[in-house]
Amino acid sequence: MDSSTLLTQPDMNNADKNTYDTPPRSVSDDSVVGSEEKNASTESGNKTQTMDPNTIILAEALTDKTISWQIHNCKIIKKTVTQDLPLPFLYHYDSLDDNIKATYPLTPALLAQFNTLMSAREAAKLIGIDEALLSTPWHVKIIGSLVVFSEALQLAVRLHWTNTGKDTQQIYTKNEADAILTAFEDWQFFGRVDVLYKNAKQTLVSIDGQDDHSESLLTIDARSDYRQLLATHALAVIVKLEADKAELPWFDKAILERLE
């Protein structure tokens, strides 16, 4: 996974908030009457927390392979795939074959340009070589969303995914299609998490275990529209999903099909 943190990202936290598609019919509007949002109940520190054995824990449920999870509305929100963006001179120089580097070693003048953004043509001119000797990478950044839902639980969760937390990921391949596939060999969830829960007969909670000495319970009330999780709870869900992602192939399948 890309090392950059992905909990918050400027282009996603407020993007597309009011333009998501209607939730799947399998999470039926007929079964639950929407309620007024209540304040989340939080217990922490030395307080003893007890839960009904029938309580659904959000992160645990999302990674439970025995639940018949389905993917709905997997879509691309933002897509950048191009070879035209400039790169720091260092990236251009590092793409050269070793024998060319030996012939054109780094001079103080070249070292001074290491972090200067430039095109392959400009870098070739600076080094004094033919542009064809430089490899030009694809710059790939794709952001998308999907809804995973369980008809039995009457639960839908909207998640966001991307190939990198950086501005773009540089991929050295011959064509665009291969660049996209390579970029998504290690895609990741990030950002906001929205929950739609319509089962008034069973309690749904999210557990934020960031502090080793305390836990916080967030009760998610049954209602007729999506509720955005608090950032710490969204992070807890994402961490759990990422840890178990290899065993949840429906996510990978839906995203790769959408990219084709």
Side-chain angles (χ1 to χ4, degrees):
M1 179 185 299
D2 195 291
S3 60
S4 301
T5 182
L6 290 171
L7 173 59
T8 57
Q9 200 161 335
D11 54 0
M12 278 307 310
N13 279 345
N14 296 309
D16 211 27
K17 288 182 66 175
N18 300 314
T19 58
Y20 291 103
D21 292 351
T22 302
R25 285 292 300 165
S26 56
V27 183
S28 174
D29 285 334
D30 299 331
S31 62
V32 177
V33 177
S35 61
E36 293 294 326
E37 182 174 1
K38 299 177 182 179
N39 292 330
S41 61
T42 301
E43 297 178 350
S44 59
N46 297 321
K47 294 182 180 179
T48 301
Q49 298 181 2
T50 60
M51 289 189 293
D52 186 286
N54 292 322
T55 297
I56 301 170
I57 300 174
L58 181 60
E60 297 294 333
L62 283 172
T63 54
D64 188 339
K65 298 184 291 296
T66 66
I67 297 175
S68 298
W69 289 108
Q70 300 179 57
I71 302 296
H72 169 78
N73 194 28
C74 183
K75 63 182 180 181
I76 293 173
I77 297 172
K78 183 178 180 181
K79 181 177 181 179
T80 299
V81 183
T82 180
Q83 288 182 299
D84 295 333
L85 295 179
L87 282 172
F89 173 73
L90 170 63
Y91 283 70
H92 293 294
Y93 189 84
D94 278 350
S95 73
L96 292 171
D97 291 336
D98 288 342
N99 62 330
I100 300 176
K101 290 180 181 177
T103 305
Y104 297 89
L106 289 171
T107 63
L110 294 179
L111 286 169
Q113 299 294 325
F114 252 35
N115 293 318
T116 304
L117 292 175
M118 62 184 66
S119 66
R121 178 177 298 177
E122 291 169 329
K125 183 178 180 180
L126 187 62
I127 299 169
I129 60 175
D130 190 291
E131 183 182 351
L133 295 176
L134 285 171
S135 299
T136 303
W138 291 92
H139 298 258
V140 182
K141 171 98 176 204
I142 302 177
I143 294 172
S145 67
L146 59 80
V147 173
V148 57
F149 71 96
S150 165
E151 182 175 3
L153 297 181
Q154 292 289 286
L155 171 63
V157 180
R158 185 167 54 221
L159 301 163
H160 297 92
W161 46 268
T162 185
N163 62 297
T164 180
K166 299 178 181 179
D167 291 338
T168 62
Q169 182 179 358
Q170 287 77 54
I171 305 293
Y172 288 89
T173 60
K174 290 183 178 181
N175 59 65
E176 178 178 333
D178 287 344
I180 292 173
L181 288 177
T182 300
F184 274 85
E185 288 177 354
D186 193 22
W187 62 270
Q188 57 219 264
F189 289 113
F190 81 102
R192 61 181 292 158
V193 174
D194 302 298
V195 179
L196 174 62
Y197 188 55
K198 296 190 175 183
N199 182 0
K201 298 178 181 179
Q202 198 168 6
T203 302
L204 174 67
V205 301
S206 173
I207 298 179
D208 170 14
Q210 296 297 302
D211 188 339
D212 291 339
H213 302 290
S214 66
E215 286 186 334
S216 298
L217 287 181
L218 175 67
T219 300
I220 302 171
D221 299 322
R223 51 189 289 171
S224 59
D225 56 354
Y226 280 101
R227 169 183 182 173
Q228 181 180 352
L229 288 185
L230 298 172
T232 53
H233 287 269
L235 178 59
V237 168
I238 290 171
V239 168
K240 178 62 174 170
L241 283 169
E242 287 293 329
D244 292 11
K245 193 168 63 178
E247 300 178 13
L248 310 172
W250 43 89
F251 290 115
D252 195 64
K253 182 175 183 292
I255 291 172
L256 292 180
E257 286 180 351
R258 183 63 184 87
L259 293 172
E260 291 178 354

